[in-house]
Amino acid sequence: MMKIAICDDEQRCIDDIKVLLEKHFPKALPFAVREYRSGEQFLKDMKDRPADIVFMDIELTDITGIDAISALKGADINPIVFFVTSHSTYIQEIFRLQSFQFLPKPIDENDFTTDIVRAANEYVRGHRKLEIKAGGIVKEIAVNDIRCIEVNRKEIKIHTAGEVLSHYGNIAFYENKLKGYPFAKPHKSYLVSLAHIAEIGGDSILLDGMTERVPLTRKFRQDFLRSFNNYVSGERL
């Protein structure tokens, strides 16, 4: 069952989102909603019981919604985030946090319908798993946990936040396997998760959970940046 958290200091706003969820969330995916009127309580609960999708008001009375989501990401908790606000002055901060969607108040029902279906699709894709045979052992890895895939002389290295799995193969196999997922090539030997980019420099990329930077070459730069811009602007399906 998908876990959805709504954090807003106005109960009316929480109730409005719950009504929209009941009407428009895909019927094939059961979900449960948790409500929070405090950012501090939201953070305390999320660290023990993370949600899959979060609707976060920005103008909370105790801490800002932006600070709350930043704290989650600092704890390597990365739900699909909808920022909900009646002000547009936070757009830059929201962009930096790579939130899924910005929803202005009052929420437009047609926009909500489109965006919640996209979010549900992203959740399903992110929780699919790949079977990897490394060291004679078959392991399952959630696609959403993969930071990048690297090839060096036919040795494939799959980097996640916690480990690196190695086996022999070719990167084209994973390019085909991950079609439809947010991955792009910054270099002929790398396939990178757009969802885990922390920083893009002139000739390299930093991914969250990794200390070594991934090269970004001139040949791949334009297409890679186009893919990343499409991803952060919401063109994910």
Side-chain angles (χ1 to χ4, degrees), residues 107-177:
I107 297 173
D108 181 270
E109 187 166 352
N110 290 330
D111 289 342
F112 183 92
T113 303
T114 299
D115 293 330
I116 199 62
V117 170
R118 288 197 304 113
N121 287 342
E122 176 138 318
Y123 169 84
V124 170
R125 288 190 316 188
H127 285 74
R128 287 180 180 157
K129 297 180 183 293
L130 289 180
E131 282 193 354
I132 310 295
K133 187 174 183 179
I137 299 172
V138 176
K139 296 190 68 172
E140 284 192 337
I141 300 178
V143 170
N144 199 43
D145 289 339
I146 298 172
R147 268 48 178 180
C148 75
I149 298 171
E150 171 190 2
V151 62
N152 183 12
R153 295 182 180 179
K154 296 187 178 181
E155 182 186 12
I156 295 286
K157 292 183 178 180
I158 300 173
H159 298 261
T160 71
E163 62 181 339
V164 179
L165 298 175
S166 299
H167 68 93
Y168 288 95
N170 64 77
I171 203 165
F173 170 82
Y174 287 101
E175 287 183 72
N176 185 61
K177 199 80 172 174

Side-chain angles (χ1 to χ4, degrees), residues 47-65:
K47 290 176 181 177
D48 295 323
R49 300 191 301 155
D52 302 306
I53 296 177
V54 171
F55 289 87
M56 173 60 68
D57 181 31
I58 292 181
E59 300 93 358
L60 298 171
T61 53
D62 51 356
I63 63 173
T64 71

Side-chain angles (χ1 to χ4, degrees), residues 6 16 29 44 51 119 137 142 147 159 178-179 186 193-194 198 221:
I6 306 172
D16 287 346
L29 294 173
K44 182 179 179 181
I137 299 172
R147 268 48 178 180
H159 298 261
L178 294 170
K179 278 183 179 177
S193 169
L194 301 175
R221 183 179 178 84

Side-chain angles (χ1 to χ4, degrees), residues 11-62:
Q11 186 63 44
R12 174 181 56 82
C13 295
I14 293 175
D15 293 340
D16 287 346
I17 293 173
K18 288 169 64 178
V19 168
L20 289 171
L21 286 169
E22 290 293 340
K23 287 177 67 176
H24 300 295
F25 200 81
K27 303 302 182 186
L29 294 173
F31 67 93
V33 175
R34 300 201 301 265
E35 304 175 17
Y36 301 92
R37 298 282 299 273
S38 154
E40 294 288 356
Q41 185 58 46
F42 165 83
L43 278 178
K44 182 179 179 181
D45 201 27
M46 284 301 105
K47 290 176 181 177
D48 295 323
R49 300 191 301 155
D52 302 306
I53 296 177
V54 171
F55 289 87
M56 173 60 68
D57 181 31
I58 292 181
E59 300 93 358
L60 298 171
T61 53
D62 51 356

